Amino acid sequence: MTFDVTRAGPPEDDTTQSPARSVEAAAARHMVRAESDARPVDDDPPEAQPEETSGNPDDGPMPGIVQNPRIVQTIDLRQNRTATLATGLVALTVCTVIGGLWFGHFAQTETVRGTVAATGGFARLDAPRAGVITRIFLNQGDPVKAGQAVYALRIGSASSGGESAVEAEMRNLQLSRKGLQDEVERADAFIARATKQQAQIAADQEVFYAGLAEQAQRHAAATEKSRAVVRRIAAYMRDGYATRDMLESHERGTFDLERQLSDLRLKRLEVQRQDSERRREFDLLVATKVSQKASAQNQIESTDSRLAMLRTETAVEVQAQSAGAVLALAAKVGDSVKPGQFVAATGEPNAAPLVVVEAPARAVGLTKVGQRVIIKYDAFPFKTFGIQHGTITYISTAAVRGLAGEDKPDIGLDPRPVERQSAYRIEIRPDRPDVDAYGERIPVKIGSTLSADIVVERRRLLDWVLDPIRALRGR
């Protein structure tokens, strides 16, 4: 729009003008331009034309003379199109942000590592202990029976002398066992020799006791005969046919025989006492040797048990758990392995693939069976061959691996370390058993490693933004 502002009369000093004239003068001095979409506006204001008057002085100024010219200015009032567009853009941005926060969702994912197993018969043959692979009995692809040995493992690391600590202990135990066995043999020999001597002594004692008995019997008979002679002599002496000296002489003879018989009996008793003492000492000595032998035998049994355990610890043959085929061999003869390291895998070669992962505890809180998962095979980089999808079919209710301080086991063939924490087994069934690669469908190999992205939480963006405020209010 264009407005003409006209002022008549001589110009006055700005300092003496009234407030109305000051406003008019200010409007005349400044031009406000605004674009209007309704009608165009002239860019140049019309020039002020002098007014002509008649020659009568009463009628006004003289002709040709311009007096009190009118000041004409143009005020252009135009709308600022830039401001309008900026306002509309800001309003649109605000609406978009509010709509995005309200209708948008935020998904938090957890990336876990895993391997491709088989739906039937698949079994990992991990190293039970740290050691060195000494022998591999089968090749990849060979058929295997349940209980058949797949590889042999020598447990323990060699010392500077070329002998492991386990082997040194076994050598010491074998030397100790040999000493114990020698002690048992010496005890057996002593017991046998002592028993034989005791039997010989017993036989000699029998002969000795028989001689004493025979001698005592003769002395008893002689004593009885001497007593009979003394009785007859005493009768003869009463009748006057014998003297007292004769009687006393025979009595002394009878007394000597009785004394000799008593000595024989005492000797027999003394020999029997000595024999009993000897037998008691012999029995005690034999019992001591038997006890030593039993102790040595117990130590031998303990040593044998320890040796058997060390042999199993020194050399272990890992066997297949089920029949099928050797699907993977991740080591060769001479390789050092850690506890739990993947060495081989057996299973049915034609079984459908099944992804098995060990997810940390923070990834299974809100995870459910039937949830969709993004799969990225290491053998087929997703930037080239795209991502694959699968469905969770199983989640273990208890941790398959708890917290521990030992070395971190690797997962499958992946050498990258895994965060050590409690883990749960999750089974994922892929949508496809193969991958499109350069116009071909290539099957996924059993035992290959992969990464799986599991959505552990899905929320609205508005809730995510308001969480800090709610947390503060909750305090």
Side-chain angles (χ1 to χ4, degrees):
M1 295 180 182
T2 303
F3 298 93
D4 293 337
V5 180
T6 305
R7 185 181 65 175
E12 299 178 357
D13 188 82
D14 293 340
T15 59
T16 60
Q17 292 179 355
S18 64
R21 288 184 180 275
S22 298
V23 174
E24 186 177 350
R29 285 194 301 268
H30 299 282
M31 179 182 298
V32 180
R33 298 193 177 198
E35 294 182 1
S36 174
D37 298 334
R39 54 183 286 187
V41 179
D42 295 335
D43 294 333
D44 297 330
E47 297 180 356
Q49 301 294 332
E51 294 183 359
E52 296 183 357
T53 59
S54 61
N56 192 354
D58 298 333
D59 296 336
M62 295 298 292
I65 298 175
V66 178
Q67 296 181 356
N68 298 328
R70 292 179 299 177
I71 300 176
V72 179
Q73 296 291 340
T74 302
I75 299 175
D76 291 338
L77 301 179
R78 301 181 181 179
Q79 295 181 352
N80 193 340
R81 184 174 297 176
T82 303
T84 304
L85 292 176
T87 303
L89 182 60
V90 170
L92 180 60
T93 302
V94 172
C95 292
T96 303
V97 171
I98 294 176
L101 291 175
W102 185 266
F103 296 103
H105 288 80
F106 169 76
Q108 181 180 359
T109 61
E110 180 74 23
T111 301
V112 296
R113 299 289 300 172
T115 57
V116 179
T119 54
F122 180 81
R124 288 167 49 114
L125 302 180
D126 298 338
R129 297 281 299 276
V132 180
I133 302 295
T134 58
R135 186 177 179 184
I136 297 179
F137 301 98
L138 300 172
N139 298 321
Q140 184 169 332
D142 291 347
V144 63
K145 299 180 181 179
Q148 184 177 357
V150 178
Y151 66 91
L153 178 67
R154 181 171 64 86
I155 299 174
S157 57
S159 61
S160 58
E163 185 181 32
S164 65
V166 176
E167 292 173 347
E169 185 179 359
M170 289 183 61
R171 180 172 54 80
N172 294 331
L173 287 174
Q174 288 173 352
L175 292 176
S176 176
R177 187 186 187 285
K178 186 176 182 303
L180 293 171
Q181 187 64 37
D182 293 341
E183 183 178 353
V184 170
E185 292 177 357
R186 287 194 299 269
D188 288 337
F190 175 82
I191 293 173
R193 185 172 60 255
T195 303
K196 183 177 180 181
Q197 291 178 356
Q198 184 68 16
Q200 183 65 34
I201 292 173
D204 294 342
Q205 289 294 103
E206 290 292 335
V207 174
F208 177 74
Y209 288 143
L212 285 178
E214 183 179 358
Q215 188 176 0
Q217 186 177 3
R218 289 198 302 269
H219 277 75
T223 302
E224 188 63 30
K225 184 176 179 181
S226 178
R227 288 173 181 171
V229 172
V230 169
R231 287 193 297 271
R232 286 197 301 272
I233 292 174
Y236 291 157
M237 188 183 67
R238 286 192 300 269
D239 294 338
Y241 296 106
T243 64
R244 180 169 294 277
D245 294 336
M246 185 181 297
L247 177 64
E248 291 178 353
S249 175
H250 283 84
E251 286 179 348
R252 286 194 297 270
T254 302
F255 179 76
D256 291 338
L257 290 175
E258 290 178 351
R259 182 177 57 78
Q260 292 177 4
L261 180 60
S262 299
D263 291 341
L264 288 175
R265 290 175 178 175
L266 290 176
K267 185 177 181 180
R268 179 182 179 86
L269 293 174
E270 181 65 20
V271 171
Q272 289 179 347
R273 186 188 65 78
Q274 294 177 357
D275 186 54
S276 300
E277 184 70 18
R278 181 184 55 77
R279 287 177 178 274
R280 187 183 64 80
E281 292 179 355
F282 172 80
D283 294 339
L284 181 61
L285 184 59
V286 170
T288 301
K289 291 297 182 180
V290 170
S291 177
Q292 293 177 356
K293 175 184 175 182
S295 177
Q297 288 177 341
N298 292 334
Q299 294 182 14
I300 289 174
E301 292 178 358
S302 300
T303 302
D304 292 340
S305 301
R306 179 61 179 169
L307 286 172
M309 184 174 63
L310 289 177
R311 288 190 185 98
T312 58
E313 292 182 356
T314 304
V316 177
E317 289 187 357
V318 180
Q319 301 175 350
Q321 301 175 5
S322 58
V326 179
L327 302 180
L329 285 174
K332 61 182 182 296
V333 176
D335 288 352
S336 297
V337 295
K338 297 179 180 180
Q341 181 176 339
F342 178 79
V343 178
T346 60
E348 299 178 5
N350 297 325
L354 179 69
V355 174
V356 179
V357 300
E358 289 187 2
R362 62 174 178 268
V364 298
L366 300 177
T367 306
K368 300 178 181 179
V369 174
Q371 182 175 327
R372 300 289 289 172
V373 177
I374 296 176
I375 302 174
K376 302 174 184 177
Y377 296 108
D378 293 345
F380 303 95
F382 69 94
K383 293 182 179 180
T384 304
F385 302 99
I387 60 176
Q388 308 297 321
H389 294 85
T391 304
I392 296 177
T393 58
Y394 170 79
I395 301 175
S396 64
T397 56
V400 297
R401 174 167 52 82
L403 297 173
E406 61 269 13
D407 295 337
K408 303 175 183 178
D410 64 3
I411 296 183
L413 306 177
D414 184 25
R416 291 178 291 183
V418 181
E419 184 179 357
R420 190 63 180 170
Q421 59 176 319
S422 60
Y424 294 79
R425 178 186 175 92
I426 297 180
E427 296 181 0
I428 304 170
R429 186 180 297 277
D431 293 346
R432 295 177 51 184
D434 49 31
V435 176
D436 293 331
Y438 304 115
E440 299 181 3
R441 289 190 172 184
I442 301 178
V444 179
K445 296 185 180 298
I446 304 297
S448 59
T449 57
L450 54 91
S451 298
D453 295 338
I454 302 175
V455 177
V456 297
E457 184 180 9
R458 185 178 180 86
R459 308 173 59 191
R460 291 191 309 172
L461 291 175
L462 182 61
D463 296 334
W464 178 69
V465 172
L466 295 179
D467 271 350
I469 301 175
R470 294 172 179 170
L472 291 176
R473 291 183 62 185
R475 293 180 183 177

